[in-house]
Every structure is written in structure tokens, then in C-alpha cells.
Amino acid sequence: KNEVEQSPQNLTAQEGEFITINCSYSVGISALHWLQQHPGGGIVSLFMLSSGKKKHGRLIATINIQEKHSSLHITASHPRDSAVYICAVRYEAGAGHNTDKLIFGTGTRLQVFP
Amino acid sequence: NAGVTQTPKFQVLKTGQSMTLQCAQDMNHEYMSWYRQDPGMGLRLIHYSVGAGITDQGEVPNGYNVSRSTTEDFPLRLLSAAPSQTSVYFCASSYRGRGEQFFGPGTRLTVL
């Protein structure tokens, strides 16, 4: 079982729909990252969060540390949001974990149709 | 700033050949890392460096070497390429390793 699980694996939506992508993890973490990978292959960092909620434009990321769960929401989705969204976590210090490393989920492929 | 740059973008090798993937960043980041991305799998860490002169292994280091002689550059060497090393390789950097990750555009490597 992966330490970072994302759901769904694939998601299709009509333009304008509200999108939710989920990320669950099984270890104690110090931070969680959301990344976006466009069809051209480039990877861009969207959010880094350790508690609460962050918002940037139409994107909202939330995290619940107690439940070991994070969500990425896209409001008023648009075809240009079509991409793979990747969740990654950094271990918290202690328990022998290397806190310099990120552990990645396998990604959620989102397609938004006009 | 150019950010994180990688060369080449594409490469085809024959089994047994060697090559170096180049990575450079101009943000004065201490932390740099190399990942490989394979279909159906998350990004996997190959090697990383927390500063000039310091490198360490990641999850999948076998068949790869790295060095970090300057803050800016972090090349990845394939000593004897194997078909299992066919993948897309990403270099990334961050300030002190705990901050936002900046990724290069990737190198698509095919080993025949």
C-alpha cells in the first residue's frame, strides 16, 4: 500500500463544474504539497501547507492533520485546468524518517471539457 | 531568473552507453534532487543533495551517480544504461529542502 493515496485516479468534468481531488496519507507529516503537471510534462508547485486552508485564484487546498487527509478544490473549472494533480508529503521529524524527502502520490488525471 | 534548467530534453541511448543529464538552478537553492517518473507510479527520488559537496541516496539510486561541486549544478550520471532506466527524469530544487519545490522541464530518456 502506498503511503500517499490519491482519489480519484481519473476525473472528467464539464466546464464550470466544482472539482475535488483527495489525498490521504498514513504517516505523520510536516508538510503536504499539491503539484500540477500539464500535458507538456512540466511540474508546477500549487500549494504547500501544514494546516488549515490556502486559496489561490480558483484553487483551494485544505488539510486535516488529525484525519491525515487533504483536498484540492477547483471552482468554476476550465479546460485549461486539464492536467495531472499530484500530492506529496514530507515526513515529520522523528521515528527514523528522513525529513529531506518527499513521498509522492501517483496523481489524479483531470480532463475538463468545454 | 531561468529557474531550474535541464538538458537534454530528449535522449536515446543504447544499452551499455553512459551519459550525463545536466541540471542547473539560479535561485541559490541549497536543496536539489533528481526524480524519475514512470507510468502508473509516483515520482521516485533517485539522489538528492542538501548543499555543495553533500549528496545522498534516494529510493532508487542503483545505476546512477551524482555529484554537487557547486550550489548551481547537480548532474546525474548513468554509468551503463539499461532498458529499465527508460523514464522521464526531473530535477528539482528548493530553499533548505522544506519549501516550495521548483522543477525543471524534464528529460525523456529511452534506452534501447
Side-chain angles (χ1 to χ4, degrees):
Chain A
K1 188 178 186 297
N2 291 338
E3 289 173 304
V4 180
E5 297 275 357
Q6 289 186 236
S7 64
Q9 285 189 306
N10 295 284
L11 184 56
T12 58
Q14 288 295 124
E15 184 174 355
E17 285 185 6
F18 182 84
I19 304 292
T20 296
I21 299 170
N22 297 298
C23 176
S24 297
Y25 51 92
S26 57
V27 297
I29 67 169
S30 61
L32 183 142
H33 296 251
W34 281 104
L35 308 166
Q36 180 190 56
Q37 185 171 25
H38 273 284
I43 300 174
V44 174
S45 176
L46 297 176
F47 296 103
M48 184 183 71
L49 63 166
S50 55
S51 66
K53 175 179 170 178
K54 287 191 176 180
K55 184 174 188 289
H56 181 70
R58 295 179 295 105
L59 301 178
I60 303 166
T62 64
I63 188 168
N64 185 318
I65 295 294
Q66 288 73 28
E67 294 186 3
K68 292 185 168 60
H69 181 268
S70 176
S71 293
L72 177 68
H73 305 286
I74 304 175
T75 61
S77 59
H78 189 276
R80 64 175 175 266
D81 297 324
S82 298
V84 176
Y85 292 85
I86 301 169
C87 171
V89 302
R90 184 178 304 285
Y91 288 128
E92 65 182 354
H97 292 310
N98 187 327
T99 58
D100 288 323
K101 298 179 183 178
L102 286 176
I103 308 299
F104 291 82
T106 55
T108 294
R109 184 175 299 276
L110 170 65
Q111 288 185 293
V112 182
F113 294 100
Chain B
N1 286 351
V4 180
T5 58
Q6 287 183 238
T7 56
K9 286 192 174 180
F10 301 94
Q11 183 72 48
V12 178
L13 293 177
K14 294 182 180 176
T15 296
Q17 287 185 314
S18 62
M19 79 159 295
T20 299
L21 307 185
Q22 301 290 347
C23 175
Q25 52 89 14
D26 61 358
M27 297 173 281
N28 202 32
H29 285 167
E30 299 167 333
Y31 186 90
M32 296 185 74
S33 51
W34 275 103
Y35 296 95
R36 60 178 289 173
Q37 185 177 43
D38 300 295
M41 305 184 76
L43 288 156
R44 292 184 293 168
L45 183 65
I46 304 171
H47 285 284
Y48 68 100
S49 168
V50 298
I54 306 169
T55 63
D56 205 349
Q57 295 181 347
E59 300 171 68
V60 288
N62 292 342
Y64 308 95
N65 276 358
V66 291
S67 59
R68 185 94 179 269
S69 56
T70 67
T71 299
E72 294 78 20
D73 300 297
F74 190 44
L76 178 73
R77 296 184 188 84
L78 281 71
L79 303 176
S80 178
S84 60
Q85 293 178 304
T86 294
S87 187
V88 181
Y89 292 84
F90 288 96
C91 177
S93 75
S94 66
Y95 180 62
R96 292 188 176 178
R98 310 288 169 94
E100 179 184 358
Q101 300 285 307
F102 292 82
F103 286 82
T107 295
R108 186 173 295 272
L109 175 68
T110 301
V111 182
L112 303 175

